[in-house]
Amino acid sequence: MESLAYYDGKIGTPEEMTVPFNDRVHFFGDGCYEATVGANGKVYLLQDHLDRFYTSARLLDIHIPMPKEELGNLLTDLLSKVDSKINFVYWQVTRGVEMRDHVYEDNLPGKLWVLIRPKKLNDPDVAIHLNDEEDTRFYHCNIKTLNLLPSVMTAKRAKRAGFQETVFHRGDIVTECAHANVSVLKDGIFYSHPNDEYILRGIAKTHMIQACYRLGVPVLEKAFTMDFLKNADEVIVTSSSNFCLHASELNGQPVGGKDPATLKAIQNEVLKEFYDYTGCTSLWD
């Protein structure tokens, strides 16, 4: 099977899968999700993603229909049923199925969805181009909800303008990207926005920080400004399916490119963890 879909115990292709009309996701985006990469039959950083998934569900009072260990085993089993060596592994839980009403029933059984499809990872040696926008999203960015319309619209505007990602800021303070985290290197120090309600705590970012510690690169998790980003030595964009990309432009103006040695060392350390974890030998296995 090339791509696989799962809904509430049923397995098939994405085209075969059907979802009840009254699943609350249709009316409210009422759920939370996780996404990572699967390679060589292993779901990358599975425990980290499960921990965040169950935390998001708890904060939203959504009941995941199985324990954490059982879900991990299910994801691993589903991954084994697809043909590609490297895959995008996505799962979500919606609050459940009931007639549309803003006020939901207590203890409604959640509905679990899984999607697994082939994924080509981007080459971290190829620079990407950025733009920026005022961050006008809601104030619960730390919860990985299904309400992604602001990010969807932002991503579309960026693509139309020829950019691969958008840097959000609140006033002059950089928060994150439309669907990634953004960090910078400056004078040999790695800077990243602290984990608060304005950003999603990126697992890829967390592991990149751990890579910095192993390399002896100092880390400061503190807010920084757009000017600080523009004048940084390197601008690094991370997500669960693009571990350590770097930017060369922001709004058509050059950024980064001043500390390639430290950047490459961090990229290599991040990729080594991926290779060691999955047994893959390259991003294109």
Side-chain angles (χ1 to χ4, degrees):
M1 185 179 294
E2 182 176 271
S3 296
L4 177 149
Y6 171 101
Y7 178 82
D8 196 29
K10 302 181 182 68
I11 301 174
T13 67
E15 295 77 17
E16 293 169 339
M17 198 57 57
T18 59
V19 176
F21 180 82
N22 280 333
D23 192 304
R24 287 179 60 90
V25 70
H26 297 312
F27 305 114
F28 301 109
D30 196 351
C32 55
Y33 79 100
E34 272 299 327
T36 184
V37 172
N40 270 354
K42 295 182 179 179
V43 182
Y44 186 52
L45 302 178
L46 175 60
Q47 194 58 50
D48 297 272
H49 287 281
L50 288 174
D51 288 345
R52 187 171 64 177
F53 183 59
Y54 278 79
T55 296
S56 292
R58 176 178 54 80
L59 291 170
L60 292 171
D61 191 31
I62 290 176
H63 300 276
I64 299 172
M66 62 184 66
K68 191 182 296 185
E69 183 178 359
E70 184 178 345
L71 176 53
N73 291 337
L74 173 65
L75 293 170
T76 301
D77 179 62
L78 293 175
L79 180 61
S80 72
K81 299 180 185 301
V82 298
D83 301 326
S84 297
K85 195 168 185 179
I86 297 182
N87 294 275
F88 177 67
V89 181
Y90 173 97
W91 66 98
Q92 68 182 37
V93 63
T94 63
R95 191 175 302 281
V97 176
E98 64 174 0
M99 192 60 71
R100 188 188 188 282
D101 192 329
H102 278 77
V103 181
Y104 56 86
E105 292 292 331
D106 290 334
N107 300 314
L108 193 65
K111 298 298 183 183
L112 181 68
W113 311 40
V114 181
L115 170 66
I116 300 177
R117 61 171 174 79
K119 172 69 177 179
K120 181 180 179 181
L121 302 182
N122 289 335
D123 185 349
D125 287 333
V126 178
I128 62 174
H129 298 165
L130 307 175
N131 68 339
D132 75 282
E133 287 189 12
E134 179 73 21
D135 190 349
T136 58
R137 301 171 301 163
F138 64 105
Y139 284 80
H140 293 287
C141 299
N142 57 310
I143 302 174
K144 202 170 179 68
T145 78
L146 297 174
N147 295 277
L148 295 174
L149 191 57
S151 291
V152 167
M153 300 305 292
T154 299
K156 186 66 173 180
R157 288 193 295 269
K159 184 174 182 179
R160 284 173 174 163
F163 302 109
Q164 285 80 51
E165 184 57 279
T166 296
V167 176
F168 282 139
H169 49 86
R170 294 180 183 269
D172 196 38
I173 299 298
V174 174
T175 51
E176 58 184 357
C177 290
H179 47 301
N181 289 120
V182 59
S183 307
V184 301
L185 281 170
K186 179 68 174 176
D187 298 328
I189 300 172
F190 181 93
Y191 291 84
S192 194
H193 194 286
N195 294 323
D196 57 20
E197 69 273 23
Y198 299 125
I199 73 166
L200 179 70
R201 181 188 62 80
I203 290 171
K205 186 191 83 162
T206 298
H207 280 258
M208 187 167 59
I209 288 173
Q210 293 170 0
C212 288
Y213 288 143
R214 292 194 296 272
L215 293 169
V217 176
V219 174
L220 284 178
E221 293 187 76
K222 61 179 292 187
F224 55 86
T225 66
M226 283 297 300
D227 280 342
F228 192 83
L229 182 146
K230 292 173 184 176
N231 292 291
D233 296 331
E234 300 289 349
V235 179
I236 303 173
V237 175
T238 57
S239 68
S240 291
S241 57
N242 285 301
F243 312 133
C244 193
L245 302 182
H246 69 287
S248 62
E249 289 186 12
L250 174 68
N251 297 324
Q253 299 300 311
V255 293
K258 303 170 188 173
D259 192 357
T262 304
L263 171 66
K264 190 61 176 175
I266 295 171
Q267 289 175 327
N268 288 342
E269 186 69 17
V270 168
L271 291 176
K272 180 179 182 300
E273 182 180 25
F274 173 71
Y275 296 147
D276 290 346
Y277 190 103
T278 65
C280 285
T281 57
S282 79
L283 294 180
W284 303 278
D285 278 353

